[in-house]
Amino acid sequence: ERGSMFNNTLPANLNIYAVTAANPFESSYACDYSNEVDAYLNDCRSINWMLDTQNSADIRKETLEQQYERVANATTESESCQYGTLSMSQETLATFMAATSRGARRMSGRNAASMSRASRGGVSMHDVPLQHYLKRAAAEPIEPRWRQRVEEEKAHRARSDLVFGLLSSEM
């Protein structure tokens, strides 16, 4: 749920460059809830990365670092991080992506608008279960099991907060 699997684990000498949606101390944010599949489909940084890639002026000139900075600035919900061989960030996008025409890489207007709307309303990964139950309860108000799950999730959070509060006071 939180942070990066690369933090303190990816050496800089392996010729691997990795980017994460969140730093090791925070959650990324889920976006683009689909009523059709009843789940969040993306995280906000991934949406911003896809949109940026679709709209890149020239992948033969733009570097990974330039894209990283632009996407990090567009992703306000969590702090993106870079790991590994950071010198690789000076490579162009075309080194890793097929160079197709800009028009062929464009998303349909409907999909781009949907992703843009979704990226503005991120939900912390910690809150995804509760938000899911709240959405189901709103969509099916006569179905009591969703209200029950909302209450169970809130009770679980209260117990967890108490336990972690006690633990942190002991440290």
Side-chain angles (χ1 to χ4, degrees), residues 42-53:
N42 299 295
D43 68 78
C44 296
R45 189 201 183 279
S46 296
I47 289 173
N48 289 332
W49 174 78
M50 287 185 277
L51 287 171
D52 185 83
T53 300

Side-chain angles (χ1 to χ4, degrees), residues 77-97:
E77 298 84 359
S78 60
E79 179 186 4
S80 189
C81 292
Q82 301 175 86
Y83 295 95
T85 310
L86 299 183
S87 61
M88 291 179 70
S89 69
Q90 299 311 307
E91 299 284 340
T92 64
L93 299 178
T95 304
F96 306 96
M97 298 177 184

Side-chain angles (χ1 to χ4, degrees), residues 6-18:
F6 300 112
N7 188 46
N8 297 323
T9 62
L10 185 59
N13 64 349
L14 294 180
N15 209 27
I16 297 172
Y17 173 70

Side-chain angles (χ1 to χ4, degrees), residues 63-77:
T63 66
L64 293 171
E65 179 66 27
Q66 290 169 323
Q67 184 178 57
Y68 170 82
E69 291 297 331
R70 204 170 35 257
V71 173
N73 288 332
T75 307
T76 59
E77 298 84 359

Side-chain angles (χ1 to χ4, degrees), residues 60 64 82 92 120 159 162 165:
R60 294 166 297 183
L64 293 171
Q82 301 175 86
T92 64
R120 290 192 299 265
R159 287 190 304 274
L162 177 64

